[in-house]
Amino acid sequence: MMGRLPAWADVVLIPLMSIIAAFGISALVILYIGENPWEALKLMVDGALGSAYGWGYTLYYATNFMFTGLAVSIAFRASLFNIGGEGQAMLGGLGVAVVALALPWPHWTLALPAAMLGAIVFGAAWAAIPAWLQARRGSHIVITTMMFNFIGAALLNYVLVNILRPAGSMDPATARFPKGAHLPTLHDLPLIGSYFDKNTPANITLFVALAACVAVWYLLFRSRLGYAIRAFGKSESAAVYAGISPFRITMYVMLLSGGLSGMMAINNVMGEAERLVLNAVEGAGFIGIAVALMGRNHPFGVFLAALLFGFLYQGGAELGLWTTIPIELRTVVQALVILFTGALDNMMRMLVERIFALGHRRRAA
Amino acid sequence: MEFSTLIQVLDSGVRLGIPLLLACLAGLYSERSGVFDIGLEGKMLMGAFAAGAVASITGSAWLGLAAAIGGSLALAAIHGLASITFRGNQLISGVAINFLASGLTVLIGQNLFHLGGRTPPIKGAARFESITLPGADALRDVPVIGPVYYDLISGHTILVYIAFAIVPLTWFLLFRTRFGLRLRAVGENPESVDTAGVSVLRLRYTAVAMAGILCGIAGAYLATSAPSAGFGKEMTAGKGFIALAALIFANWRPWRALGATMLFGVLEAVAIRFQNIDVGLFVVPVQFMQALPYILTVVILAGFIGKATPPRAGGQAYVKER
Amino acid sequence: MQANKDISIRVMPGTIHGIIGENGAGKSTLMSILYGFYRADAGEIFIRGKPTIIHDSQAAIRAGIGMVFQHFKLVQNFTVLENVILGVEEGMLLHPSLARARVALAQLAEEYALEVDPDALIEELSVGQLQRVEILKALYRHAEVLILDEPTGVLTPDEADHLFRILGNLREQGKTIILITHKLREIMEITDTVSVMRRGEMTATVKTSETSPEALAELMVGRKVLLDVTKGPANPGANVLEVENLRVIDADGVERVKGISFAIRAGEIFGIAGVSGNGQSELLKVLGGFQKATGTVRINGQEIDLSGHHSDGQTRRARGIAHVPEDRQHLGLIMDFTAWENLIFGYHNAPEYQSNALLMDNAGIIAEAARKLERFDVRPPSPMLPAKSFSGGNQQKLVLAREIERNPDLLLVGQPTRGVDIGAIEFIHKQIIALRDAGKAVLLVSVELDEILSMSDRIAVMFDGRIMGERDPEKTDQRELGLLMAGVGTEAA
């Protein structure tokens, strides 16, 4: 029977088992490569968490994934699958670059809010077109957002090559941002600075991401809009009965989702590269899907899942460096997490239910 | 534009369009049965890798092709399990399959060959070589017909001709056979098939498997069809998504799929050959040409020009009404 | 739930056997078992005296049973021929099967007056033609027993007459027909034998020639335990709701409500009886603000927008209309939401639920929810439980608590006690009457006749999108109302 599980099993046990399944299969892959999975895990832990350098990178990646994870999960909450986080983050980068290069910023405290605004506007705009097409024309939002990833990449390429590339440069990238638009790294901060290595890219954006997690929680669970979003996502017919407009919710949610994806750019573009390069997003938009699924579309879950994926990314990079395990192991783990938590969740649920049924029978006997 | 340039562009358009065509037909089978497939890219990539790896080890292009089909089928089986048996989200399953292929191909490739994810270069019997059609040499110097026959029609590998042959075959299968009738019915209204006493599950698994086979061939073409010489990391480079776009553009029909994929192939060839195109009043940037397939697809999806009508039951797992 | 309880039925060859009963009486379930769609938990099926096991549709087809479902199982973008041969093609290639079917269809058309263009696309055909395609499908599969589930529900009177002529022809050729319907007129017109179903049980099987519509109506509705509703006389005040010439055309272009007019005064319950699907649902949706319509609707003398451009469920609520929808599972509640979240559903924008411009006052809402659960005797009274974990009756109390506690001027209630246990029924009825006694107007839509009779101060009967007539509950009875509900009666308004 479906739906006979206690709440904690649904929220904790099933995702946990999905992760165990994903990591278990990954361990088999590592065995196949001829390495020891346990050693590999130790190396990952050591590389990602064992040093100031390691966790600096882990947190940097996690920051990216918090934004894209929140973006995907807020759309999922409205039953919309935004697969376009990649393109929206790319455009967000463009927004950041336009703002950062527009003025000789005197100080980052002024540049940051302006750049955030740029990131949000560009990211949201890139999500708005698929949203409108879905709400008004019924165009399948998964396909349109996917197409917009490619169109976004081409657009960015054009802008970088033909407009923002400094004269004389061969590189399809913008000029470096002015000094006043450089964000302080965690190492630069008072109090906590000494815990971080100065060569890691983790920066103040981490706190923006944490604030975004909290803000999205408030939005989803404490605001009228969030209430309407969740209601619409659970039942469109009931939402219509309650006077919630599907068109408006679709637009709002996708604007929020695109804005969040775009915000990622303040981390990777403004905080790390300090200029806009062609492939700045590096798949973080897609990782957002895995993060959202694993975090069960809850901001706190997204936060945890983003940390896990930050660990996976940094740890995986270390594996690539020190063992014969290629860095692409990360992609495999990511794929398995998406597969088990997103596509095979019914299988995992049936499994857990069977275990529970067994337990009941035993107790009854 | 000179005539010889035109022929060259069209020829390279065909070469670029063939993997799109095969993947597009793969998607056609799957989606016609009501199973969305955004994992074309991953299956094709897995196929390309398996073909490159096995062809380089065995020295046989045909064994490579068989391996490509096998590799792609394995991913198709996962998709079937997730979306048909366990009624999971077909789109998420497709996303997972793309990543799985992207990671596994490099992991296995690196383990086997230590070439950073590439497979060793192949030549001779390990790859499909170009075929010169009968009379091509004789006709070569005849004006117009010569270049068209010699350069454009002749001189491709066997997989190209197979791909073209699959178009009428698919049309025939879809619209002239019992299997096709049932396949189209199950994608439109699975209840009609179920009440007629035909298994919805079996039909859908068959369709998903056919998608696996075709993606495998597409992958083999990429890796082992001359002039390419082996598998390279991420070698599909988004072709699976263009194929998906072409499928929508073609309105899920085989002959139109041929047209759409060849159009997209030629667009790519033009972008490669000419870069920015000066049309007099303004310059069409190369990036616009690259994005054109996707833009056209969005326009079609929006229903402003033409209308994309996907199979009605697409994306929904079949549950008997209670 | 037991949809069918210990049913025995014997159908004679070459006859038309009617099965009549209210919605939810279990008719469709019974027929789906015969067609192998569901498995019965116990019991046997005999065909021509032989015990037959029907475990899937294929087995039913082999046993000579053909089914015309209420919702056609046709492929929209296929031709008639293609639909007919689907599943019974001969050989791998279509062409020979199509050619054979073309000949066979021509013969069938001649034999039974079943003309349909074999090359027409399904999406281009009228509903009546679609039904003929389904019948042809069954006959092409050599069906000897043909089951039709509510076949006239979607037909115009002309099309229905045509169908009956076809059924008559089929009977003459020796086919056996089982006709499932809730329409008395059809039973009387065409069947040889009729079985009555009520609440999952077969209450009677009689020869049609030996019964009357009145007798059948009584068997259909049954003499239920009289509901214990105590209410004083109504003290109606001024008109709260005025409806004039209301028409609804749904998304499929079908006219569901065909120009109705009525008014409801403060302090009275206006009951609308009728078999479901006769326009009551659409009427509720229009008044609730999520169905477009034409005509005039005034609430407290002020006209409200029916075009859907300037109004929705929110604006209706702001005008003092509360709505307990017929389908609480899909409309009235979000099953995954907690009780407290459901208790503000539709009113979530109300200022008293906000603690400031940005945030909702969750703590306050939860506290209020706990009080409402207490007052409405919802069990268990815990606001943090999701709606899906409550029983049907308690779910309904949640909806009722939400809507009544807003103190509306007009309460719309659809099927207030559908799927609700006996204990909760009484409580729900009392709450609605209390609202009336507080001087509010109530529009009650129900298919339960005794509910309508015991609750209403005035009764209207809807049939086929029209109000068939208005009755005083003191001066009418179930039989009269049952006839009006079945479309028998002359007084169409």
Side-chain angles (χ1 to χ4, degrees):
Chain A
M1 285 301 284
M2 299 282 268
R4 286 271 178 85
L5 286 180
W8 66 269
D10 208 47
V11 175
V12 180
L13 198 58
I14 292 175
L16 204 66
M17 287 196 37
S18 301
I19 297 166
I20 291 170
F23 276 79
I25 293 177
S26 308
L28 292 179
V29 174
I30 293 174
L31 271 180
Y32 160 78
I33 291 172
E35 296 271 349
N36 181 336
W38 182 246
E39 291 298 321
L41 183 65
K42 277 207 291 205
L43 193 66
M44 279 179 85
V45 172
D46 200 47
L49 307 169
S51 67
Y53 180 82
W55 68 59
Y57 265 96
T58 299
L59 288 178
Y60 166 71
Y61 289 125
T63 308
N64 283 340
F65 304 155
M66 278 180 220
F67 284 119
T68 54
L70 287 175
V72 176
S73 59
I74 200 170
F76 267 142
R77 282 278 175 184
S79 276
L80 296 168
F81 187 5
N82 175 14
I83 203 171
E86 195 76 6
Q88 291 144 20
M90 267 179 229
L91 268 285
L94 190 57
V96 166
V98 166
V99 170
L101 293 168
L103 294 173
W105 294 96
H107 194 262
W108 68 267
T109 46
L110 295 173
L112 179 60
M116 278 169 62
L117 195 69
I120 292 171
V121 168
F122 275 63
W126 209 241
I129 308 166
W132 188 86
L133 289 173
Q134 161 88 49
R136 280 284 185 255
R137 315 280 312 178
S139 321
H140 203 304
I141 200 154
V142 176
I143 305 291
T144 48
T145 50
M146 183 197 291
M147 298 295 138
F148 265 69
N149 283 339
F150 292 104
I151 300 172
L155 176 67
L156 190 65
N157 190 332
Y158 174 78
V159 172
L160 284 181
V161 170
N162 297 297
I163 301 171
L164 290 178
R165 183 170 51 130
S169 164
M170 291 301 291
D171 210 8
T174 66
R176 299 200 76 80
F177 296 163
K179 201 104 202 124
H182 290 188
L183 295 179
T185 64
L186 294 184
H187 177 75
D188 299 332
L189 296 178
L191 296 174
I192 60 163
S194 57
Y195 295 105
F196 293 93
D197 192 283
K198 73 173 185 322
N199 292 318
T200 59
N203 61 78
I204 191 114
T205 313
L206 172 64
F207 297 102
V208 181
L210 292 175
C213 287
V214 175
V216 168
W217 184 85
Y218 270 99
L219 174 82
L220 279 177
F221 301 107
R222 289 296 307 278
S223 82
R224 277 166 276 182
L225 178 60
Y227 181 95
I229 288 171
R230 289 183 294 120
F232 172 76
K234 289 289 182 195
S235 167
E236 187 171 343
S237 58
V240 169
Y241 152 82
I244 295 167
S245 151
F247 173 76
R248 239 175 280 157
I249 296 296
T250 303
M251 290 308 292
Y252 286 155
V253 163
M254 284 304 287
L255 289 174
L256 283 165
S257 181
L260 281 164
S261 290
M263 284 247 276
M264 186 195 114
I266 56 170
N267 191 45
N268 66 337
V269 175
M270 198 179 185
E272 198 248 356
E274 294 173 347
R275 64 183 186 138
L276 180 61
V277 298
L278 206 49
N279 184 24
V281 184
E282 292 186 301
F286 292 117
I287 293 161
I289 299 168
V291 170
L293 288 170
M294 202 165 111
R296 308 225 100 194
N297 303 325
H298 191 286
F300 186 66
V302 166
F303 165 73
L304 291 180
L307 285 181
L308 183 83
F309 270 89
F311 158 79
L312 184 67
Y313 261 64
Q314 175 53 18
E318 293 284 317
L319 281 185
L321 224 51
W322 305 113
T323 70
T324 55
I325 302 169
I327 200 165
E328 280 77 10
L329 179 69
R330 319 190 288 201
T331 320
V332 173
V333 179
Q334 176 193 337
L336 292 169
V337 167
I338 295 178
L339 188 66
F340 283 109
T341 55
L344 285 172
D345 52 342
N346 282 336
M347 184 177 84
M348 299 313 274
R349 179 162 286 116
M350 282 179 199
L351 213 67
V352 173
E353 274 166 355
R354 205 153 292 172
I355 294 167
F356 266 76
L358 225 67
H360 278 295
R361 214 171 303 155
R362 207 157 286 163
R363 225 169 301 149
Chain B
M1 204 195 309
E2 271 184 53
F3 182 67
S4 64
T5 321
L6 176 71
I7 293 293
Q8 278 170 19
V9 167
L10 290 179
D11 180 53
S12 110
V14 168
R15 286 171 203 280
L16 291 163
I18 287 298
L20 301 181
L21 174 60
L22 286 163
C24 183
L25 292 172
L28 191 144
Y29 280 103
S30 185
E31 301 210 345
R32 275 283 187 164
S33 84
V35 180
F36 280 158
D37 194 354
I38 61 177
L40 296 173
E41 173 88 0
K43 289 201 284 281
M44 201 175 4
L45 188 65
M46 187 54 92
F49 168 73
V54 170
S56 78
I57 292 169
T58 64
S60 160
W62 289 101
L63 284 178
L65 177 64
I69 291 173
S72 173
L73 268 177
L75 292 184
I78 296 177
H79 190 50
L81 198 70
S83 45
I84 305 170
T85 303
F86 287 107
R87 298 179 200 141
N89 187 318
Q90 299 170 3
L91 299 164
I92 294 178
S93 168
V95 171
I97 279 163
N98 288 337
F99 286 125
L100 201 58
S102 156
L104 278 182
T105 50
V106 179
L107 279 177
I108 301 172
Q110 173 65 9
N111 192 45
L112 289 178
F113 306 110
H114 307 288
L115 291 171
R118 280 187 298 112
T119 60
I122 49 170
K123 56 175 189 284
R127 69 175 191 179
F128 294 100
E129 296 290 351
S130 308
I131 299 169
T132 306
L133 294 182
D137 283 322
L139 281 172
R140 192 170 179 177
D141 294 322
V142 179
V144 185
I145 301 168
V148 167
Y149 187 65
Y150 182 83
D151 288 319
L152 188 56
I153 298 175
S154 172
H156 297 285
T157 67
I158 182 79
L159 294 184
V160 173
Y161 300 109
I162 289 177
F164 281 126
I166 290 175
V167 176
L169 210 66
T170 297
W171 174 84
F172 184 81
L173 200 59
L174 216 53
F175 297 105
R176 288 290 179 271
T177 70
R178 174 175 71 187
F179 170 73
L181 184 79
R182 293 176 175 187
L183 185 80
R184 286 182 288 133
V186 82
E188 287 290 324
N189 184 359
E191 281 193 314
S192 70
V193 173
D194 195 21
T195 49
V198 180
S199 163
V200 172
L201 255 64
R202 197 178 308 156
L203 273 171
R204 287 194 165 165
Y205 263 109
T206 310
V208 168
M210 294 183 83
I213 293 170
L214 288 172
C215 280
I217 302 176
Y221 173 84
L222 285 174
T224 59
S225 196
S228 60
F231 171 80
K233 198 167 152 177
E234 295 295 339
M235 109 177 288
T236 42
K239 286 188 165 47
F241 298 107
I242 301 194
L244 202 62
L247 181 59
I248 295 163
F249 205 75
N251 216 359
W252 292 267
R253 288 172 177 280
W255 284 110
R256 290 199 208 172
L258 176 67
T261 50
M262 289 303 126
L263 171 70
F264 288 177
V266 168
L267 283 178
E268 200 184 336
V270 169
I272 291 170
R273 165 96 196 196
F274 298 105
Q275 298 296 315
N276 297 337
I277 304 166
D278 194 340
V279 288
L281 289 172
F282 55 91
V283 175
V284 179
V286 62
Q287 293 88 354
F288 179 76
M289 295 297 293
Q290 285 162 349
L292 200 53
Y294 307 110
I295 296 172
L296 288 175
T297 304
V298 170
V299 170
I300 293 282
L301 273 173
F304 293 121
I305 305 169
K307 182 84 189 134
T309 41
R312 275 184 190 76
Q316 301 151 12
Y318 180 61
V319 188
K320 217 174 244 194
E321 212 177 307
R322 274 242 154 231
Chain C
M1 255 299 265
Q2 229 180 326
N4 280 180
K5 296 172 202 160
D6 194 14
I7 285 175
S8 297
I9 178 173
R10 180 186 299 263
V11 180
M12 304 308 285
T15 63
I16 298 183
H17 192 119
I19 296 185
I20 193 162
E22 255 297 351
N23 282 41
K27 305 171 304 231
S28 297
T29 308
L30 175 63
M31 293 308 134
S32 292
I33 290 170
L34 289 185
Y35 196 64
F37 245 45
Y38 314 145
R39 291 285 273 288
D41 299 318
E44 276 184 291
I45 299 166
F46 296 87
I47 295 174
R48 287 186 213 91
K50 269 203 317 229
T52 310
I53 295 168
I54 300 176
H55 51 80
D56 62 12
S57 315
Q58 193 88 64
I61 295 167
R62 269 199 307 272
I65 297 175
M67 178 100 182
V68 178
F69 289 92
Q70 210 171 341
H71 303 285
F72 305 137
K73 315 288 184 193
L74 297 169
V75 182
Q76 289 290 309
N77 56 0
F78 277 17
T79 63
V80 170
L81 268 187
E82 287 172 324
N83 269 290
V84 166
I85 64 166
L86 181 66
V88 287
E89 314 87 343
E90 291 145 48
M92 296 295 286
L93 297 184
L94 282 185
H95 193 73
S97 302
L98 288 169
R100 253 187 67 101
R102 188 183 299 277
V103 176
L105 243 50
Q107 270 170 6
L108 289 171
E110 204 172 319
E111 246 173 288
Y112 304 110
L114 269 163
E115 322 73 23
V116 186
D117 172 11
D119 296 313
L121 282 176
I122 293 300
E123 54 202 358
E124 291 163 357
L125 296 182
S126 72
V127 189
Q129 288 172 311
L130 294 179
Q131 197 163 51
R132 270 169 257 160
V133 176
E134 286 283 15
I135 296 173
L136 282 170
K137 254 170 79 177
L139 295 177
Y140 186 72
R141 285 160 174 73
H142 308 293
E144 286 302 319
V145 182
L146 197 63
I147 306 171
L148 296 106
D149 188 7
E150 299 284 0
T152 58
V154 285
L155 300 185
T156 64
D158 275 356
E159 285 173 329
D161 287 342
H162 190 163
L163 173 70
F164 290 159
R165 281 201 300 281
I166 293 168
L167 295 184
N169 290 342
L170 286 167
R171 170 172 53 188
E172 272 169 36
Q173 306 287 326
K175 304 278 184 195
T176 307
I177 290 158
I178 301 179
L179 175 73
I180 304 171
T181 182
H182 59 254
K183 296 181 181 169
L184 283 165
R185 188 180 69 88
E186 294 171 4
I187 291 289
M188 299 311 295
E189 194 173 321
I190 183 120
T191 63
D192 303 301
T193 319
V194 53
S195 296
V196 183
M197 280 190 81
R198 183 155 54 85
R199 304 211 163 184
E201 289 176 83
M202 199 68 87
T203 49
T205 298
V206 289
K207 279 214 150 45
T208 312
S209 52
E210 294 165 7
T211 186
S212 66
E214 291 80 4
L216 284 178
E218 221 172 288
L219 282 167
M220 248 171 99
V221 202
R223 298 200 185 285
K224 286 177 220 157
V225 217
L226 271 184
L227 288 171
D228 186 21
V229 176
T230 40
K231 62 175 171 71
N235 289 308
N239 278 351
V240 173
L241 176 73
E242 289 159 308
V243 173
E244 282 163 26
N245 196 24
L246 188 75
R247 282 174 195 279
V248 179
I249 293 170
D250 74 4
D252 299 331
V254 179
E255 194 175 22
R256 295 288 177 186
V257 178
K258 301 174 177 172
I260 61 172
S261 305
F262 61 91
I264 308 180
R265 292 165 295 179
E268 73 170 353
I269 297 176
F270 185 71
I272 294 187
V275 173
S276 39
N278 280 294
Q280 312 96 303
S281 303
E282 285 74 15
L283 171 64
L284 284 176
K285 286 180 181 173
V286 167
L287 297 175
F290 52 104
Q291 167 81 58
K292 283 184 221 169
T294 57
T296 313
V297 173
R298 278 184 293 271
I299 182 96
N300 292 324
Q302 277 190 305
E303 196 170 330
I304 56 180
D305 168 58
L306 297 178
S307 69
H309 294 306
H310 313 288
S311 66
D312 54 23
Q314 296 277 302
T315 51
R316 289 292 197 281
R317 285 172 178 80
R319 298 287 287 274
I321 302 179
H323 182 185
V324 177
E326 292 180 302
D327 186 348
R328 63 174 166 271
Q329 305 225 352
H330 294 110
L331 296 183
L333 293 167
I334 304 271
M335 296 314 259
D336 286 327
F337 270 20
T338 59
W340 73 265
E341 284 173 312
N342 271 303
L343 281 168
I344 57 167
F345 189 48
Y347 303 99
H348 49 278
N349 288 328
E352 60 268 37
Y353 294 142
Q354 323 300 327
S355 57
N356 56 47
L358 290 177
L359 298 181
M360 295 173 89
D361 177 18
N362 285 19
I365 299 169
I366 293 170
E368 198 198 307
R371 286 195 294 274
K372 280 182 191 166
L373 294 182
E374 207 67 52
R375 260 203 306 280
F376 274 77
D377 192 31
V378 179
R379 281 173 242 177
S382 54
M384 309 310 277
L385 278 181
K388 63 180 172 203
S389 60
F390 290 91
S391 71
N394 284 303
Q395 286 175 1
Q396 187 69 324
K397 285 188 199 170
L398 278 178
V399 180
L400 218 64
R402 175 181 74 212
E403 301 300 329
I404 287 183
E405 291 284 293
R406 294 295 304 186
N407 198 22
D409 293 334
L410 168 68
L411 180 69
L412 313 171
V413 204
Q415 319 300 346
T417 54
R418 179 182 281 175
V420 168
D421 42 302
I422 301 286
I425 290 178
E426 196 185 335
F427 182 87
I428 289 168
H429 284 167
K430 273 188 184 150
Q431 296 302 320
I432 295 172
I433 289 165
L435 191 73
R436 174 200 79 157
D437 291 342
K440 311 297 183 180
V442 177
L443 173 66
L444 170 70
V445 171
S446 176
V447 292
E448 299 287 335
L449 262 187
D450 36 334
E451 179 165 77
I452 290 284
L453 273 166
S454 55
M455 294 282 294
S456 313
D457 299 310
R458 285 188 297 137
I459 298 173
V461 178
M462 269 187 91
F463 173 77
D464 193 27
R466 294 191 177 85
I467 289 183
M468 296 294 289
E470 209 184 295
R471 295 285 185 277
D472 181 341
E474 304 295 325
K475 294 175 191 153
T476 185
D477 56 16
Q478 297 209 341
R479 208 192 313 163
E480 189 188 16
L481 293 179
L483 286 176
L484 286 173
M485 280 164 67
V488 185
T490 47
E491 195 198 336

